[in-house]
Amino acid sequence: MRQYERGVVFRLGKVRDVRDPGLRFMIPLVDRMRKVSLRTVTMPIPSQQIITRDNVSIGVAAVAYFRRVDPVKSIVEIENVETAIGQIAQTTVRNVVGRSLLDQVLTDTETLNESIKQILDRITQQWGVYVLLVELKDIELPPSMQRAMARQAEAEREKRAKIIAAEGEALSAGKLAEAADVIAAHPIALQLRNLQVLSEIAVEHNSTIVFPAQFLSTVRALSQFVGAEGAKVEEPTLVP
């Protein structure tokens, strides 16, 4: 017997004992031995068409990992344990996925895997088999559903982009309001800013630019000057 094997000995048709690894002797024509491997078996579950709870037809393939823990039960309780596990695994995957929504199948596969594993482990326990892991490895969507999901993802990205742009505009408006308050308190700051803009324009563009930013302030100063001169002329002259 190899290290990973166990031998179930039948004496005249009845289970006698389980032989451990090493050299073992039997009575000829009386004892018969069936070898059982205790190594983990990888079983692919073929893809099958399943209709989810929201009436979407998808193809689902999976893989299961199991090993025999009770050599006697794996021979006595069932004829072919691998075929039985393959069939019950396909049925369990179809039932669990069929009771779930498409979004849950795509985003919450860990919960589905655990549910399938628990169901399989409860059934195969009577066969002396322990299910280590079940994974949904391939989910095929119909082309129409793929296009719809692509449009949904694009719309979601556009929504996030617009929200980020609106938040940026709100922050920019707040900063501009703060800058306007500073300039209103310090008028000279506006002139400095105008000079800075002029220097930036002069570096980037070699052309003549009319910049009438000081026109209103110049008109206001000229009006004040004319008013002051008119008041001086109207003052009476005293003759001694």
Side-chain angles (χ1 to χ4, degrees):
M1 301 295 300
R2 296 181 177 86
Q3 181 64 37
Y4 56 85
E5 292 179 335
R6 298 295 183 271
V8 180
V9 178
F10 293 87
R11 178 166 294 177
L12 299 177
K14 294 183 179 180
V15 176
R16 175 66 179 176
D17 56 5
V18 177
R19 301 294 176 88
D20 292 329
L23 182 63
R24 297 292 180 261
F25 297 95
M26 296 186 303
I27 302 175
L29 304 178
V30 176
D31 293 343
R32 293 184 179 275
M33 185 176 64
R34 292 278 303 274
K35 293 182 179 181
V36 177
S37 176
L38 302 183
R39 292 182 295 182
T40 300
V41 178
T42 302
M43 174 176 289
I45 302 174
S47 178
Q48 53 185 331
Q49 292 296 319
I50 303 174
I51 299 178
T52 60
R53 197 171 69 181
D54 48 355
N55 297 325
V56 179
S57 179
I58 60 176
V60 179
V63 60
Y65 300 87
F66 68 91
R67 61 184 179 89
R68 299 172 178 86
V69 294
D70 192 331
V72 176
K73 286 185 178 181
S74 65
I75 294 178
V76 175
E77 298 294 335
I78 191 168
E79 182 178 0
N80 191 327
V81 66
E82 292 189 3
T83 302
I85 293 177
Q87 295 297 322
I88 194 64
Q90 292 186 26
T91 304
T92 305
V93 169
R94 183 169 61 250
N95 293 337
V96 173
V97 175
R99 292 194 302 264
S100 305
L101 298 174
L102 178 61
D103 292 339
Q104 184 179 3
V105 175
L106 296 176
T107 60
D108 196 13
T109 55
E110 293 183 0
T111 302
L112 298 180
N113 294 336
E114 185 64 25
S115 300
I116 297 171
K117 175 186 176 300
Q118 291 179 0
I119 296 174
L120 289 179
D121 197 22
R122 186 171 61 252
I123 296 174
T124 59
Q125 186 177 5
Q126 59 185 343
W127 302 335
V129 175
Y130 173 69
V131 178
L132 284 76
L133 183 66
V134 178
E135 290 286 341
L136 301 178
K137 67 176 184 178
D138 189 15
I139 300 175
E140 298 179 0
L141 298 176
S144 59
M145 183 59 62
Q146 293 180 7
R147 291 191 296 268
M149 294 179 66
R151 291 194 299 268
Q152 180 182 2
E154 184 178 359
E156 184 67 24
R157 288 193 296 268
E158 290 180 357
K159 183 185 73 174
R160 290 199 298 266
K162 291 180 180 179
I163 292 175
I164 294 174
E167 292 176 352
E169 291 292 338
L171 293 176
S172 176
K175 295 299 181 181
L176 288 176
E178 294 178 2
D181 294 338
V182 173
I183 292 175
H186 305 281
I188 192 65
L190 180 59
Q191 297 181 7
L192 295 176
R193 181 58 181 165
N194 292 337
L195 294 176
Q196 183 180 2
V197 172
L198 284 176
S199 63
E200 293 176 357
I201 294 176
V203 171
E204 296 179 359
H205 304 282
N206 296 324
S207 59
T208 302
I209 298 174
V210 179
F211 197 84
Q214 303 297 329
F215 180 73
L216 295 178
S217 59
T218 303
V219 172
R220 190 181 301 108
L222 182 61
S223 300
Q224 293 177 357
F225 176 76
V226 173
E229 292 297 329
K232 292 180 180 180
V233 172
E234 291 178 357
E235 289 182 357
T237 303
L238 298 178
V239 179

